[in-house]
Amino acid sequence: MEPTTSDFLLVPSWMKNNQPGLGLRKLDNLEQKKGVKMTTINHPNFGNIAKNQLSRNGKNGNGNGNGKNHDRHEAIKMSVHDLLTNIGEDPEREGLLNTPDRIARMYDELTAGYHVDTEKLINGALFNVDYDEMVIVKDIEFYSLCEHHMLPFFGRAHVAYIPDGKVIGLSKIPRIVEMFARRLQVQERMTKQIADFIKETIQPKGVAVVVEGVHMCSMMRGVKKAEASMITSAYLDQLKNNRDLRTEFIDHINSRRSMD
Ligand code: ZN
């Protein structure tokens, strides 16, 4: 018998508030468990979501990795729909009709850093090289979201390391920055994570990371300041302990300004 939409309106009571975008497969599993208390969920989009899941499951057999992504996408759409309603908007008006879907897709992109396979990222890009001078990659553009307001902060990252027999492909450094930027972040932690990751991966004699960022949350809200840039840094090992090396790094970063 063809299941109807209403079959999928039952969710365990503890999930009612937390996980409205519950997947079909999950629900099937739960239904098999005895003693799960079920409740109903009322959401304007829920019928459509259940229908989408039905058609997907019809095509693919049962849930898989894509199914999980699909569930997450649908859950974000519903949350945005609610958000629009609660700020006093009409989510059904023409201009907003596709906004939940657009935002769900946008968050996929802006939080892609959570799903990066670090093995793959580094794979084949570590080289044994007899070079022990500082390697500097500067002015790496980044875009992140502050975890307190989910508003953008963005700017430039400057990375240096002193090789200990090993270097990493030049293009990998910006990708490492991006992996940590595309998450909900605070700038201080992002800076430290980039430095720690490089230390762990390349095992150099020293690492330095300086990040300059402007934060929309401090520019748009509260006391509005035109100048809201923030500088954070992380220095490890030789670049922490050796003042000359640190000065060399800072001089390199600053040399950009005289060329501007
Ligand atoms: Zn913020």
Side-chain angles (χ1 to χ4, degrees), residues 146 148-149 217:
C146 87
H148 301 130
H149 306 94
C217 60

Side-chain angles (χ1 to χ4, degrees), residues 124-130 165-170 172 202:
L126 278 177
F127 308 103
N128 294 319
V129 174
D130 184 19
K166 247 193 286 183
V167 297
I168 191 165
L170 191 64
K172 298 297 181 183
I202 315 176

